[in-house]
Amino acid sequence: MKKTFSFLLSVLGIFMYSQQIESFKTIFNDKISIRAIEIYDNKVWYSGTDSKFGFVDLVNPKNHKQTQLSEKKLQFRTLAQDKESFYAINIESPAEFFKIDKKTLKSEIVFKDTVKTAFYDAFHFVNNDLGYAFSDPNAGRLKLMVYKNGDWRFYQNDFKLNDGEAAFAASNTNIASSKNYLWIATGGKVSRILRLNLKNEKLEVFNTPFVQGEPSQGMYSIDFLDDKFGIAVGGDYTKQFEGINNIATTHDGGKIWQIQASGKNAGYITCVKIKPKSKGKEIISVGDQHISYSSDYGKTWKKISDEKGFFVCEWIDQNTIVFAGKDKVSVMKLKF
């Protein structure tokens, strides 16, 4: 009787699992590593290795185009957009800031950072007139590029990061913003939250209980619903299946963080995104080895796919998510 009951539970579990994913299709393949995507005009836009930049049409995947932003084989792990253009920064020094016209796809270099330590982890637009690009520190000092009303400048500050504290260029999502704040997640030997007040540019710094202490540990990705609720994910990329202290949530704008599902999740995570119109209740996450889902504000997680090789994700609508990573772009449709 016990065996029969266990078998029925197993079948039920498989049934529930199969019902959650309605479809999961790869819409683009190429020899490329993609860690940054944007959604625009019913297309997923990407930047990646070998200076590659392009799009895949979400309605008609046969409609796709790719170009190389440079004759040099640059690695791009950032991508951002305003109303008229896309922006991408290569990770090596000199870091070149490319502006790509949305209509013509013609690109130009609008800024260069020639400091040897330049390594831009993420680029994020708060709105069409305000954007921020975050680099690993220079001489231990916080390095943040500000784009405002068409002008570029460095955020003037004397704030120093701790020894071994930097960030991860894993998915262009260690920056997030709301109406009033910009958050940056650091990682490595120290993993903290930096919060910038967008009205007065005052910087605050908050410690976190996240796994840290080694160069491979810390927060890799954050997302915020509003000024209060946010989620951070990450872990240790050298220990892919060890999910200890690698998910945390905040309800006070990043001041205090609560560890969630420690030891009860699928492991290392590179990207997290809150589902639109879910008020923070439903969240998708992706790591090199899995895709996981939470329906209770990040408190518990269910692995919904063992698909490997994805680094970044983004919601297309309330039922559809695009994933990108090693050599592919795929679209998952969920059934609720």
Side-chain angles (χ1 to χ4, degrees):
M1 184 67 179
K2 287 183 179 179
K3 289 183 178 179
T4 303
F5 183 66
S6 297
F7 174 75
L8 288 173
L9 283 178
S10 176
V11 171
L12 180 60
I14 293 172
F15 176 74
M16 291 175 66
Y17 174 86
S18 65
Q19 288 298 100
Q20 193 165 11
I21 298 178
E22 184 175 313
S23 62
F24 195 12
K25 299 178 180 178
T26 296
I27 61 171
F28 178 73
N29 286 109
D30 186 32
K31 189 176 181 180
I32 185 175
S33 178
I34 300 172
R35 291 183 178 269
I37 58 175
E38 289 284 338
I39 306 299
Y40 168 72
D41 191 31
N42 288 322
K43 301 177 180 69
V44 54
W45 299 76
Y46 62 86
S47 63
T49 48
D50 293 337
S51 299
K52 292 178 179 180
F53 167 82
F55 72 81
V56 186
D57 196 311
L58 290 165
V59 179
N60 176 22
K62 291 183 179 180
N63 177 27
H64 57 83
K65 186 173 183 178
Q66 185 181 94
T67 185
Q68 287 186 297
L69 298 179
S70 172
E71 293 181 356
K72 295 177 287 186
K73 290 189 175 183
L74 302 178
Q75 289 192 52
F76 291 100
R77 296 191 180 187
T78 61
L79 188 64
Q81 65 170 311
D82 61 15
K83 186 177 181 180
E84 297 179 348
S85 305
F86 291 102
Y87 300 82
I89 313 168
N90 62 290
I91 60 173
E92 304 89 351
S93 179
E96 298 177 334
F97 289 54
F98 289 82
K99 179 180 180 180
I100 307 111
D101 186 277
K102 285 183 173 179
K103 292 182 179 179
T104 65
L105 300 190
K106 291 182 178 180
S107 65
E108 61 177 322
I109 298 173
V110 292
F111 187 83
K112 282 188 180 183
D113 185 347
T114 58
V115 176
K116 289 183 179 180
T117 56
F119 192 105
Y120 283 84
D121 303 288
F123 195 176
H124 171 78
F125 269 86
V126 175
N127 54 51
N128 284 320
D129 300 314
L130 181 62
Y132 292 89
F134 180 61
S135 170
D136 283 357
N138 180 33
R141 195 168 69 180
L142 172 67
K143 190 173 185 179
L144 187 64
M145 172 61 70
V146 184
Y147 172 87
K148 190 171 184 178
N149 297 322
D151 294 324
W152 300 86
R153 64 176 173 86
F154 286 107
Y155 171 62
Q156 297 299 314
N157 70 96
D158 295 317
F159 177 74
K160 285 207 170 186
L161 300 178
N162 290 312
D163 290 341
E165 181 181 13
F168 299 106
S171 60
N172 195 47
T173 56
N174 66 338
I175 295 183
S177 67
S178 64
K179 181 179 179 181
N180 295 306
Y181 297 108
L182 177 85
W183 293 270
I184 300 171
T186 68
K189 291 187 177 181
V190 179
S191 190
R192 299 186 290 177
I193 287 290
L194 315 181
R195 188 176 77 175
L196 185 70
N197 187 309
L198 294 174
K199 293 182 179 179
N200 58 21
E201 289 201 335
K202 179 183 177 182
L203 183 70
E204 298 174 280
V205 185
F206 306 112
N207 294 325
T208 76
F210 228 82
V211 59
Q212 54 196 286
E214 297 294 334
S216 56
Q217 297 176 338
M219 290 177 284
Y220 282 68
S221 176
I222 57 174
D223 198 17
F224 272 78
L225 172 70
D226 49 29
D227 286 348
K228 298 294 184 181
F229 179 74
I231 183 164
V233 301
D236 187 334
Y237 72 79
T238 67
K239 300 175 182 177
Q240 293 271 326
F241 299 102
E242 189 173 290
I244 305 297
N245 295 345
N246 68 320
I247 300 172
T249 56
T250 180
H251 292 270
D252 61 4
K255 294 180 181 179
I256 300 173
W257 292 82
Q258 298 82 34
I259 292 293
Q260 307 288 2
S262 182
K264 298 179 180 179
N265 65 82
Y268 167 69
I269 305 168
T270 55
C271 187
V272 66
K273 289 292 180 177
I274 297 170
K275 179 182 174 179
K277 299 182 181 180
S278 72
K279 298 182 179 180
K281 184 177 181 181
E282 296 178 68
I283 309 169
I284 194 82
S285 72
V286 63
D288 292 6
Q289 306 291 324
H290 67 96
I291 298 169
S292 296
Y293 199 87
S294 175
S295 57
D296 57 2
Y297 303 95
K299 295 177 182 178
T300 63
W301 292 81
K302 178 181 180 181
K303 183 168 65 172
I304 61 173
S305 174
D306 287 307
E307 186 79 17
K308 296 175 176 58
F310 290 119
F311 308 132
V312 59
C313 62
E314 184 62 88
W315 288 92
I316 300 170
D317 55 42
Q318 288 180 271
N319 299 87
T320 317
I321 310 127
V322 61
F323 297 88
K326 189 179 186 306
D327 302 334
K328 59 188 173 182
V329 176
S330 300
V331 175
M332 176 185 288
K333 193 170 184 63
L334 298 176
K335 189 174 183 179
F336 297 96

